[in-house]
Amino acid sequence: MGWAIAVHGGAGDIPLSLPPEKRLPREAGLRRCLDVGIAALKAHNHPLDVVELVVRELENNPHFNAGKGSVLTTSGTVEMEACIMDGKTMKCGAVSGVSTVVNAISLARLVMDKTPHIYLAFDGAEAFAREQGLETVEMSHFITPENIERLKQAQEADRVQLDYTQPIPKEVPKEAAVADGDSQIGTVGCVAVDSEGSLATATSTGGIVNKMVGRIGDTPIIGAGTYANHLCAISATGRGEAIIRGTIARDVAAVMEFKGLSLKEAAAYVINQVPRGNAGLIAVSSTGEVTMPFNTTGMFRACATEDGYSEIAIWDSPTK
């Protein structure tokens, strides 16, 4: 048994030809966040504090679809979501429809710590953030030129897009599969376990490009995009609707508990139940196991364990 940590920056149709200017900043971001998490675990910080810290870093990185890099709704606005959960106590907090809070994951943590509730959304979540003194900014802080262009492409094609999608020809039918590109690179998450076996998970996202105002995805839904208990901690990424239908995060824990499978076996089983091209997840167990399966083309991911193993990868082969 020892500490372990995993981080993701989104799963999806990530082409092997992804240009260096898109790939390298994200790999560097994952590497930095992994180092931040490792240092925090070595300093004996609680996993709940570790996952919040790491996801804050990811939210502040405009190359990921969370916080500063959040994608836009059909109205050109930002509606961010986040969720955090402690495995030992099963306490959790979640927020949706956040548009001015710099770090939505810290607002989710406050919902968990400072209210009798689990989930706050839209005006209520924003008001609570101000009451608690969290840093807020104008919505324009989160809107990047790249995401304005993504929204324009999606609206020209008259469809929603999963996170960062390459230009789509107008003649592509709305119901067609998501085009190849750096689509679905977005939702960020972190899972961690300390040497005592305490587990925690955190997930944050801006959602999908050109989503309807008010749409809620899997990230803030306990058991879908985010879940932790005494056995494992999971953060999922991909097509939110498919992840919600599959209750992916909870199913990993359930399969471990009721079928007696290892973390790796349970996570692979659950991902294989989801239609191909829709999902990925990162998970750690109370005994320090790590797994990062996905059924999409790729998933930006990184992990490290106390015994010295570390990995930063996008596709099937790790990139060192």
Side-chain angles (χ1 to χ4, degrees):
M1 182 185 293
W3 60 257
I5 184 170
V7 181
H8 75 73
D13 300 318
I14 308 168
L16 293 170
S17 59
L18 187 69
E21 64 269 21
K22 289 178 179 280
R23 175 176 57 82
L24 295 175
R26 292 173 183 135
E27 288 181 340
L30 288 176
R31 185 171 285 108
R32 169 175 164 69
C33 290
L34 187 65
D35 289 343
V36 165
I38 291 169
L41 285 168
K42 286 182 174 178
H44 304 292
N45 290 7
H46 191 280
L48 199 61
D49 298 324
V50 174
V51 297
E52 180 186 0
L53 178 66
V54 170
V55 170
R56 283 175 61 95
E57 289 284 334
L58 289 162
E59 288 175 335
N60 294 338
N61 186 326
H63 297 288
F64 296 105
N65 175 17
K68 174 71 174 170
S70 292
V71 297
L72 307 180
T73 70
T74 188
S75 297
T77 55
V78 168
E79 292 183 353
M80 298 172 286
E81 304 180 316
C83 186
I84 192 166
M85 188 167 186
D86 176 68
K88 186 174 183 180
T89 64
M90 298 189 73
K91 290 181 64 178
C92 46
V95 293
S96 284
V98 175
S99 58
T100 68
V101 179
V102 172
N103 293 112
I105 196 62
S106 292
L107 180 56
R109 176 75 185 269
L110 285 172
V111 172
M112 184 185 86
D113 288 343
K114 303 289 188 182
T115 80
H117 308 306
I118 289 174
Y119 198 160
L120 292 180
F122 297 93
D123 291 349
E126 290 279 340
F128 179 64
R130 290 190 291 272
E131 286 171 17
Q132 295 296 312
L134 279 185
E135 184 181 2
T136 59
V137 292
E138 293 296 316
M139 189 189 296
S140 58
H141 165 83
F142 303 102
I143 299 176
T144 64
E146 193 174 9
N147 282 332
I148 292 172
E149 180 60 28
R150 289 186 187 118
L151 177 62
K152 181 182 174 186
Q153 291 169 9
Q155 290 180 332
E156 285 175 352
D158 191 22
R159 59 183 288 173
V160 298
Q161 294 176 1
L162 298 189
D163 300 347
Y164 311 155
T165 305
Q166 299 283 355
I168 300 173
K170 288 185 183 180
E171 62 271 15
V172 173
K174 282 187 284 185
E175 66 274 11
V178 175
D180 283 345
D182 58 336
S183 62
Q184 296 169 299
I185 303 168
T187 301
V188 303
C190 179
V191 293
V193 60
D194 64 15
S195 54
E196 315 258 298
S198 298
L199 292 148
T201 177
T203 315
S204 183
T205 189
I208 56 176
V209 183
N210 201 28
K211 65 181 180 180
M212 292 175 65
V213 172
R215 179 263 187 185
I216 293 170
D218 65 287
T219 291
I221 298 178
I222 300 299
T226 310
Y227 189 75
N229 66 3
H230 66 289
L231 292 173
C232 58
I234 300 98
S235 174
T237 174
R239 187 183 293 274
E241 285 72 13
I243 293 170
I244 293 169
R245 290 186 193 105
T247 58
I248 287 177
R250 167 58 186 157
D251 272 13
V252 174
V255 169
M256 286 183 72
E257 183 170 3
F258 302 124
K259 289 178 73 75
L261 299 186
S262 69
L263 178 75
K264 187 173 183 179
E265 291 168 336
Y269 173 83
V270 170
I271 286 295
N272 286 338
Q273 303 307 302
V274 182
R276 187 155 188 82
N278 279 284
L281 64 83
I282 55 173
V284 293
S285 73
S286 60
T287 57
E289 299 169 278
V290 184
T291 190
M292 303 184 291
F294 53 95
N295 68 11
T296 54
T297 307
M299 180 171 74
F300 275 89
R301 63 200 189 276
C303 71
T305 59
E306 189 170 347
D307 64 11
Y309 179 80
S310 68
E311 175 184 337
I312 297 173
I314 307 171
W315 302 284
D316 285 337
S317 301
T319 55
K320 299 298 183 183

